[in-house]
Amino acid sequence: MKEANFTESIFICFMLLHGFEAALNCTSPSPESLINALEKELFPKKLIRPVKSFSDPLNLTISITVVGILGVDEKGQTLTIFLWQILEWEIEGLSWDEKKCGAKRVSVPRENLWNPDVQIAEFMDEDNSPQPPYVYIYNNGKVYDDKPIRVVSSCRLGIYTFPFDIQNCSLTFGPYLHFDTDIRMIQGNTAAEILKESQDVIETNGEWKLIDITVDPSSLVLLNANYSQIIYYVVLRRRPTLYVVNLLIPSCFLITVDLFSFMLPPQSVDRSSFKMTLILGYTVFLLIMNDLLPVTGETTPLINVFFSISLALMVASLLETVFITNIQFSSSQYGALPNWLNILVLRYLAVIVCLPPKKKSNRITVSLRQTPPESVNNVSHINSISVKQLHNISDDKPLEKPALDPQQPVLDELKTLSRNLLSIRVQVDKHFQGSETSQEWYMVGIIIDRLLFGLYLIFIIISFVTILCIWTLSNFSTT
Ligand SMILES: *C1O[C@H](CO)[C@@H](O)[C@H](O)[C@H]1NC(C)=O
Ligand SMILES: *[C@@H]1O[C@H](CO)[C@@H](O)[C@H](O)[C@H]1NC(C)=O
Ligand SMILES: *[C@@H]1O[C@H](CO)[C@@H](O)[C@H](O)[C@H]1NC(C)=O
Ligand SMILES: *[C@@H]1O[C@H](CO)[C@@H](O)[C@H](O)[C@H]1NC(C)=O
Ligand SMILES: *[C@@H]1O[C@H](CO)[C@@H](O)[C@H](O)[C@H]1NC(C)=O
Ligand SMILES: *[C@@H]1O[C@H](CO)[C@@H](O)[C@H](O)[C@H]1NC(C)=O
């Protein structure tokens, strides 16, 4: 028994070391005889790595084609991609005569052959790839194994420049177990070929566009073993149209409306309520569009900064309106305009905002001033009366002076008239003086409003240009 086992194992070792010495013997050029010959010579050896000597590495050629980009999950940091993977290796010593056996190649079930354990290192999910059952064997011993794979691979996704982002994901193909002394990965088609072929066959026309593929045939060096592997870098660019149309343009519209709402008069309630409505509308817009935005814990996308700035600008402009409204009605609270404010705002800031300082008083008060007060006093002959005594005059008390003249009643009448006139005039004067201070406050409000509008405009332009620059730069730097 032992003897028999020993000779058997020697025979196996001999077979292992020498593989197939001679060509397959087909009885006739028919598929049946070829399969019979293979069944006899090849299939029993499916446990053996098909090389002549243990020290020989198996050369495994790999070619891939990207067929579809199914999705990118920013939250899970995964890329789902569909590939065709072609593995080619050689069964050393296997050959047959095409004429004798009737075919150059034959397809055989995968399970009947030794299969390399090539895996993608970034594989993250259950392998849902279809498993085609056959591989081709050629009459020179070459095995051609073409299968589709659906990869859910981990990929470090940066979304800072979303929606103008470009992702660079790696796919590392290599044997899971075998060291590089056993299986050596060899690059099949070049990066340019993969790219061209992929762009020809790619079937998805979704959010992502394949823009580049680079290949890095490197090896993974560990402490006690080296693994041969090939890394493909798949570079994808997002098609931003959806986000530009749905997010950026409406946002810009709202900001523009907010900008133009500065043309509404601030002192009426119109502007502030208008701006309030805009902010409400924008908040609703952001709530709806929140689903479209990617989420990761690491970085905040620039587009979120954009939205935040837009909202902040709207809120700031609402606050500005409240402030201006307060200023323009503040004459009743704070009295006359302080001198420093008068000089600072009405003289200097007015020049800055190209609003030349108006004459202090308006036309009505000017015309009143031009009528000299003497003419009033002339009529009544009461030159001594001063503005400070007006309280008494308006009280309509009888004068202490005794009336002696015969024309006294007329004179009295005239005096009363004059007093009444004077008091009216003083009241009118007072009114216009008050309206003058409110006029000044009003002007201050207008000037500050213009100034803040200018600053608002400058801030909008600077921040938006900065964001646009970052987006375009990031777009051009990788293409
Ligand atoms: C009014 O007073 C001015 C001087 O203050 C004098 O020139 C003028 O003649 C007077 N008019 C009458 C009507 O008294
Ligand atoms: C095929 O047949 C020839 C002789 O007919 C023989 O020498 C050879 O070893 C056979 N090959 C195999 C693989 O059996
Ligand atoms: C594998 O490839 C290496 C070089 O790439 C070559 O030297 C070696 O002969 C090849 N082995 C086989 C079995 O083809
Ligand atoms: C992708 O990343 C790899 C490694 O980080 C790098 O070598 C390669 O140049 C990158 N490709 C592009 C297009 O950025
Ligand atoms: C791995 O490869 C390096 C050179 O690439 C070599 O120096 C080292 O000896 C190899 N290690 C093993 C375990 O084969
Ligand atoms: C008002 O008249 C009273 C007497 O009638 C007098 O004592 C008082 O000083 C007057 N006030 C002014 C402001 O002239």
Side-chain angles (χ1 to χ4, degrees), residues 137 163-164 206 209 217 223 239 279 283 287 290 343-344 352 393 421 425 459 466:
I137 301 181
F164 304 101
K209 187 173 189 281
L223 202 60
R239 293 195 172 96
I279 290 178
T283 317
L287 274 181
N290 219 9
I343 293 172
L344 178 73
I352 292 178
I393 293 167
L421 265 178
R425 200 220 117 175
F459 186 76
T466 311

Side-chain angles (χ1 to χ4, degrees), residues 168 212 233 235:
N168 183 358
D212 198 13
Y233 292 104
V235 182

Side-chain angles (χ1 to χ4, degrees), residues 88-104:
E88 284 168 284
W89 68 95
E90 197 180 334
I91 300 176
E92 276 186 51
L94 176 69
S95 67
W96 69 79
D97 186 8
E98 190 185 339
K99 283 192 188 117
K100 273 191 198 160
C101 297
K104 197 172 185 306

Side-chain angles (χ1 to χ4, degrees), residues 166 168-169 212 214 216 233 235 478:
I166 287 171
N168 183 358
C169 294
D212 198 13
T214 47
D216 177 16
Y233 292 104
V235 182
T478 31

Side-chain angles (χ1 to χ4, degrees), residues 266-269 272 320-330:
Q267 75 273 21
S268 75
V269 198
S272 55
E320 192 261 8
T321 305
V322 170
F323 177 62
I324 295 301
T325 315
N326 183 21
I327 281 189
Q328 295 191 335
F329 285 103
S330 61

Side-chain angles (χ1 to χ4, degrees), residues 377 380-385 397-405 408-409 411-412 415 419:
N377 293 346
S380 59
H381 296 279
I382 311 166
N383 285 329
S384 57
I385 252 174
K397 281 179 189 167
L399 277 178
E400 291 142 50
K401 271 186 187 174
L404 296 174
D405 270 351
Q408 197 61 32
L411 209 62
D412 274 353
K415 277 177 182 169
R419 261 183 273 125

